[in-house]
Amino acid sequence: MARVLFAHGHLLRFDRKQHAIGKPYPPLATITAAAYLRSLGHDVALYDPMLDDDTRGFAPALARARPEVVVIYDDVFNWFTKMCLGRMREAALAMIAAARAAGARVVVSGHDAADAPEIYLGAGADFVAVGEAEITLGELLAGYPTLDAAGGVPGLVFRERGMVRRTGPRALLKELGTLPIAAWDLVDVDRYRAFWRERHGYFSLNVNTTRGCPYKCNWCSKPVYGNTYHTRTADDVVDEIRLLRERYAPDRLWFCDDIFGLKARWLMPFSERMATEGLAMPFLCQTRADLMTAENVAALRRAGCAETWLGVESGAQGVLDAMDKGLTLDQVRGAVTRLRGAGIRIGFFLQFGYPGEGWPEIEKTRNLVRELTPDDIGISVSYPLPGTRFHESVKARLGEKRNWTQSDDLDPLFPGLFSREFYRRLSRTVHAEFRTRHALRTLRGLVATPSTVDRISLKALSGLAELPLWLANTALLHAQASRSRQKIVRGA
Ligand code: SF4
């Protein structure tokens, strides 16, 4: 059996936007893989630099764990790690070099390594695990101290006699109950709790209930699960929540699934058990507007749902159709009515810059936000992730830059109608307008019922300060959009 050190290169500080949001979660995918190897008898440890300033703690972690194998394992469940930012890749490559220098064998698993295995192998990794990696790791390490049986283990890329070699594809796990509960004991949960409490006054932990998504939005990268969708049993999930509550007492949960509660036959018994066993607690999840039927919304509420994030993307039906989103704006309106009726907060993920979107479509998106007044919005610019149909469609036009340095770069990686400066200004303007209008609604509510004043409403009022930015930027945006239109008319 091997001594294995798990590590990852996802530091909150590496992502300016996420650091400002300040909602870090333990690396759940990483500790799930660690739990699986431990169940096979391996000795596992974790280097988790999420809350560190840099990765200088890796050398002491190596010295402490004296691993024979280092596994650099991206937390693919964490939404801000899905996009590999340049600094995260650099951190992983530096850790590979340090691990090799310490005499360990190195395996890497993650979206970026799967997309560009040569880079990681070139930095000294022995293997890149492509696809769902737990079973691959288990089979690879079954031969430890020999790791040369790689040819017989599906899901690996490695070098042999100077050539990059791939084994066959790794079949996906259909029964997620095969995996043990994540190795929460490896995480310094107190450190996360302190961070959350200081920033937000509460503490949230993450839980995963499914893997994959059966929808086909053509910009969405699903390198591991494709269009499959596998679910843990409701009983397993409830048991894990009970354990988390007993051991760590989180105030809230985040279900980090791409789509939470897609199947009503799963959601109903889950919410029933949560309610009847006294486990219902506030949670946040991502879902789709078209799944928000009256029954599903009621079940979410029963289990404690406090906030849902919907992939609304655009207020222009033509753009949604071009994305293969499979969603209508009326479905979005219906979902908002039902969620609001149940007292569940609503966040919209919005996306600008998809091919075919011009100024009129941008205005439609802004109008939709004004009409539906979600409680929060998140804005990005269409990002061609490798392996997607969207990426294929713009591949020939991609510039030299293939990765963002920050998740708020908002830099279109292919030439489009508008510049990076335009999208950055657009994002700032939409946010400023959103916060100003939110502050004005809050102010009206407080004037009507002063007794409702609380920390949240007082914080919302600070949005009034964004009024000048909103107004000034709106004028500049119109001028920029008009210049672009003139260029198009002139054929420039
Ligand atoms: S964007 Fe959401 S709904 Fe669409 S394919 Fe991706 S995970 Fe599924």
Side-chain angles (χ1 to χ4, degrees):
M1 291 298 137
R3 274 196 312 278
V4 185
L5 175 63
F6 278 82
H8 66 85
H10 296 286
L11 282 70
L12 192 63
R13 251 183 209 288
F14 283 178
D15 191 328
R16 185 173 49 213
K17 176 174 155 188
Q18 292 299 333
H19 191 259
I21 293 170
K23 295 186 172 177
Y25 285 96
L28 183 55
T30 314
I31 57 174
T32 301
Y36 179 64
L37 286 197
R38 183 156 64 186
S39 75
L40 299 179
H42 300 286
D43 185 4
V44 295
L46 173 70
Y47 167 62
D48 174 19
M50 176 69 80
L51 301 175
D52 292 348
D53 291 338
D54 50 46
T55 53
R56 272 182 288 184
F58 187 56
L62 279 172
R64 267 194 312 276
R66 294 181 298 106
E68 289 143 336
V69 179
V70 168
V71 181
I72 298 174
Y73 199 106
D74 282 1
D75 180 19
V76 289
F77 294 154
N78 213 323
W79 56 27
F80 87 92
T81 62
K82 292 193 179 179
M83 181 191 294
C84 180
L85 303 176
R87 290 182 74 186
M88 295 174 183
R89 179 190 277 180
E90 282 166 26
L93 298 183
M95 282 191 278
I96 292 170
R100 288 303 303 261
R105 310 291 299 273
V106 180
V107 189
V108 185
S109 165
H111 293 332
D112 190 49
D115 289 336
E118 301 80 9
I119 292 175
Y120 290 81
L121 295 174
D126 294 282
F127 300 98
V128 169
V130 176
E132 202 171 41
E134 292 97 341
I135 308 299
T136 304
L137 285 174
E139 292 179 7
L140 178 64
L141 267 64
Y144 190 82
T146 305
L147 297 185
D148 296 335
V153 177
L156 288 172
V157 187
F158 57 100
R159 279 188 193 277
E160 196 174 55
R161 289 188 282 278
M163 305 286 287
V164 173
R165 196 177 150 200
R166 284 174 185 269
T167 60
R170 162 62 57 188
L172 293 173
L173 266 175
K174 291 202 171 75
E175 295 299 332
L176 298 183
T178 315
L179 298 172
I181 284 181
W184 284 99
D185 57 292
L186 298 179
V187 176
D188 185 353
V189 176
D190 288 344
R191 202 171 165 213
Y192 281 90
R193 183 188 295 105
F195 186 100
W196 275 83
R197 287 253 162 89
E198 192 190 325
R199 286 275 197 112
H200 307 288
Y202 67 88
F203 166 48
S204 179
L205 276 179
N206 42 346
V207 176
N208 175 256
T209 76
T210 61
R211 293 183 174 190
C213 165
Y215 295 93
K216 296 180 180 161
C217 311
N218 60 35
W219 46 267
C220 180
S221 174
K222 300 193 287 184
V224 176
Y225 302 111
N227 288 326
T228 61
Y229 185 77
H230 295 124
T231 316
R232 295 173 68 196
T233 65
D235 287 347
D236 280 356
V237 175
V238 170
D239 289 346
E240 183 171 12
I241 291 170
R242 187 192 307 285
L243 178 145
L244 292 178
R245 290 188 59 148
E246 285 170 4
R247 269 199 214 159
Y248 307 116
D251 305 301
R252 300 186 192 182
L253 296 176
W254 169 44
F255 288 108
C256 58
D257 312 32
D258 285 337
I259 302 290
F260 178 74
L262 180 133
K263 294 180 180 167
R265 68 173 182 275
W266 184 94
L267 185 58
M268 300 304 159
F270 167 76
S271 68
E272 197 57 38
R273 269 199 69 184
M274 289 286 282
T276 54
E277 296 180 29
L279 295 171
M281 62 183 293
F283 69 82
L284 180 154
C285 64
Q286 294 95 244
T287 184
R288 283 178 54 103
D290 51 341
L291 295 174
M292 292 300 94
T293 60
E295 296 76 20
N296 284 356
V297 169
L300 285 176
R301 190 66 208 141
R302 199 160 53 239
C305 183
E307 184 169 338
T308 55
W309 277 78
L310 307 173
V312 173
E313 323 300 350
S314 174
Q317 189 62 52
V319 173
L320 289 179
D321 295 345
M323 290 175 171
D324 295 324
K325 188 75 196 171
L327 191 68
T328 67
L329 293 169
D330 280 344
Q331 286 170 322
V332 174
R333 291 186 176 95
V336 167
T337 303
R338 286 185 282 278
L339 287 166
R340 189 156 284 150
I344 296 174
R345 280 170 55 85
I346 303 156
F348 280 5
F349 291 118
L350 302 172
Q351 183 177 158
F352 290 115
Y354 196 83
E357 180 194 67
W359 182 250
E361 288 75 20
I362 290 172
E363 284 287 58
K364 285 182 179 174
T365 302
R366 298 178 70 188
N367 283 335
L368 189 75
V369 174
R370 290 173 190 134
E371 174 196 336
L372 298 180
T373 62
D375 299 287
D376 207 349
I377 54 171
I379 296 178
S380 190
V381 161
S382 303
Y383 186 102
L385 287 157
T388 61
R389 274 219 302 124
F390 171 41
H391 184 270
E392 280 304 302
S393 71
V394 299
K395 195 160 79 178
R397 294 191 282 145
L398 285 177
E400 293 236 318
K401 184 173 177 183
R402 298 291 167 99
N403 289 73
W404 287 355
T405 310
Q406 299 282 340
S407 66
D408 62 355
D409 261 5
L410 303 186
D411 192 0
L413 297 179
F414 56 94
L417 205 48
F418 300 112
S419 64
R420 169 167 118 157
E421 285 63 40
F422 172 86
Y423 287 114
R424 286 187 166 181
R425 176 165 289 135
L426 175 64
S427 171
R428 280 200 299 272
T429 311
V430 175
H431 274 299
E433 176 179 348
F434 174 80
R435 289 190 196 115
T436 307
R437 287 182 183 275
H438 188 57
L440 288 170
R441 279 194 303 277
T442 306
L443 185 61
R444 277 197 294 273
L446 289 179
V447 169
T449 41
S451 58
T452 58
V453 66
D454 59 9
R455 180 179 158 163
I456 296 173
S457 55
L458 288 177
K459 195 172 166 205
L461 288 183
S462 65
L464 290 172
E466 306 221 22
L467 178 67
L469 180 70
W470 166 27
L471 297 179
N473 266 346
T474 298
L476 290 168
L477 271 179
H478 278 277
Q480 263 180 295
S482 156
R483 277 201 298 278
S484 296
R485 271 201 299 272
Q486 285 163 14
K487 260 167 68 181
I488 292 169
V489 171
R490 287 201 306 267

